[in-house]
């Protein structure tokens, strides 16, 4: 046996525990869910093979609205996080007194347990004793209490604001690390040539942040698309389904209605969408990296 072949075998032996772990934790549940999506599994003891019936059921006008709402919710949430994160990282990188304190103050939304942070926002959105409604009434902007979570339009944006509040700290710190990795010589050369602050940001900072922005956008997109806690704790998909996203609809179908087959079909559809997102991400990063493109 050659040295190269024995090295390959030894490498596979080292990888075997990780491969078995992935097979047990990821591959098996994924395959089992895919098979379950072709059955009428429920609380009944008998489970029958129904083919594509579960997929035919979900492709209707109601679920189309759920899909559209999920994409809109994800788009606005991720976009706002990227914009605020970029602006915040730029400000935190500025040479101003007390910037270490400002960096520390960006972390509480990320450090505080998610459920506690969501409940806090739920209290602030309350129309009777919520802080936001109280401030609006105090400044004469509303005639009476505003129950933000009781109306579809306001509840939808309330969940987005909460998700942005939770996600912005991580985005900001990640972008701050990306900015600080940019060589200072580029800024010094641009400053010597008379380039202004905005010009340096537009022609140096932003272009060199593109890989970090794409990576964080993809990670945030996947997390936001799969976000369950925020919507469920605040509205449980209400009112009248106006905040129901695909992950909420899947939970309500599989766990709430005990229709495991239909819920599995919805889960498979979510997996397909996320796989397409990942495929697009790898295509974009491959084009941005000349070495991988060659």
């Amino acid at each position: 046996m050659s040295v190269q072949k024995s090295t390959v075998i030894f490498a596979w032996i080292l990888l075997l525990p990780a491969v078995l772990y992935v097979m047990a934790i990821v591959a098996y549940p994924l395959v089992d869910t895919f098979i379950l999506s072709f059955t009428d599994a429920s609380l009944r003891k008998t489970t029958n093979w129904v083919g594509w019936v579960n997929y035919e059921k979900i492709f209707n006008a109601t679920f189309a609205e759920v899909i559209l709402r999920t994409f809109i919710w994800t788009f606005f949430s991720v976009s706002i996080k990227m914009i605020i994160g970029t602006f915040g990282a730029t400000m935190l990188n500025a040479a101003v007194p007390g910037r270490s304190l400002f960096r520390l103050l960006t972390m509480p939304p990320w450090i505080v347990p998610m459920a506690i942070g969501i409940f806090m926002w739920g209290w602030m959105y309350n129309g009777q004793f919520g802080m936001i409604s109280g401030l609006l009434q105090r400044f004469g902007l509303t005639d009476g209490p505003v129950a933000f979570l009781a109306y579809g339009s306001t509840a939808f944006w309330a969940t987005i604001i909460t998700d942005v509040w939770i996600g912005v700290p991580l985005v900001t710190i990640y972008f701050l690390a990306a900015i600080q990795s940019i060589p200072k010589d580029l800024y010094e050369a641009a400053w010597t040539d008379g380039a202004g602050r905005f010009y340096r940001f537009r022609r140096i900072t932003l272009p060199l942040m593109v890989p970090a922005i794409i990576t964080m956008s993809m990670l945030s997109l996947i997390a936001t698309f799969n976000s369950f806690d925020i919507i469920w704790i605040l509205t449980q998909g209400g009112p009248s389904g106006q905040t129901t996203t695909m992950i909420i609809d899947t939970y309500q179908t599989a766990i709430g209605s005990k229709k495991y087959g239909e819920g599995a079909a919805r889960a498979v559809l979510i997996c397909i969408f996320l796989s397409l997102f990942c495929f697009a991400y790898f295509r974009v990063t491959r084009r941005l990296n000349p070495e991988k493109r060659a």
Side-chain angles (χ1 to χ4, degrees):
M1 182 181 296
S2 63
V3 176
Q4 184 177 2
K5 189 174 181 180
S6 61
T7 302
V8 172
I9 295 174
F10 181 68
W12 275 108
I13 293 174
L14 294 178
L15 288 173
L16 186 60
V19 172
L20 293 176
Y21 176 81
V22 172
M23 292 292 290
I25 302 300
V26 179
Y28 172 74
L30 187 63
V31 173
D32 187 62
T33 301
F34 181 73
I35 295 174
L36 191 67
S37 68
F38 292 98
T39 68
D40 61 351
S42 62
L43 284 178
R44 297 180 303 174
K45 293 182 179 180
T46 58
T47 299
N48 302 312
W49 185 269
V50 295
W52 296 95
V53 172
N54 292 329
Y55 291 93
E56 293 173 358
K57 287 182 180 179
I58 64 178
F59 286 107
N60 52 49
T62 302
F63 194 71
E65 293 179 4
V66 173
I67 295 176
L68 179 61
R69 187 181 302 113
T70 304
F71 277 91
I72 294 175
W73 193 84
T74 303
F75 172 78
F76 279 106
S77 182
V78 173
S79 299
I80 296 173
K81 280 186 279 190
M82 294 302 108
I83 293 172
I84 296 178
T86 303
F87 178 78
T90 304
M91 294 297 100
L92 291 177
N93 189 58
V96 295
R99 63 177 179 177
S100 297
L101 177 62
F102 294 143
R103 292 176 183 177
L104 182 64
L105 292 176
T106 63
M107 300 307 293
W110 190 42
I111 296 174
V112 172
M114 183 179 294
I116 295 177
I118 298 170
F119 276 118
M120 179 192 70
W121 277 98
W123 293 332
M124 290 195 296
Y125 290 139
N126 188 280
Q128 299 301 321
F129 54 81
M131 182 185 70
I132 300 176
S133 178
L135 289 175
L136 292 176
Q137 293 179 73
R138 176 177 290 274
F139 289 105
L141 299 177
T142 59
D143 296 329
V146 180
F148 292 95
L149 301 180
Y151 304 97
S153 57
T154 53
F156 181 81
W157 289 104
T159 57
I160 290 179
I161 292 172
T162 305
D163 183 71
V164 169
W165 180 82
I166 292 173
V168 158
L170 177 61
V171 176
T172 302
I173 297 301
Y174 187 85
F175 285 170
L176 178 61
I179 292 176
Q180 292 181 336
S181 67
I182 298 175
K184 303 299 181 185
D185 297 345
L186 298 177
Y187 292 106
E188 294 175 358
W191 181 80
T192 303
D193 292 338
R197 182 173 298 176
F198 179 74
Y199 183 87
R200 295 197 300 269
F201 174 79
R202 183 169 60 89
R203 300 304 297 268
I204 298 176
T205 306
L206 204 56
L208 294 179
M209 281 183 63
V210 168
I213 292 175
I214 292 176
T215 300
M216 180 50 65
S217 297
M218 179 54 56
L219 295 175
S220 180
L221 187 149
I222 293 174
T224 304
F225 196 91
N226 275 325
S227 180
F228 175 82
D229 308 64
I230 295 172
I231 296 177
W232 187 256
I233 293 176
L234 289 177
T235 65
Q236 295 188 4
S240 301
Q242 293 301 305
T243 58
T244 298
T245 57
M246 292 179 67
I247 194 71
I248 297 295
D249 182 72
T250 301
Y251 177 84
Q252 290 174 337
T253 302
I255 307 302
S257 301
K258 305 298 187 295
K259 299 177 181 178
Y260 306 125
E262 294 183 25
R266 286 164 164 77
V268 170
L269 190 61
I270 292 174
C271 184
I272 292 173
F273 279 132
L274 293 178
S275 298
L276 292 175
F277 294 152
C278 293
F279 176 77
Y281 164 72
F282 287 123
R283 292 280 295 180
V284 171
T285 53
R286 186 179 181 85
R287 290 191 176 186
L288 289 176
N289 194 330
E291 296 179 359
K292 292 184 179 180
R293 186 171 50 189

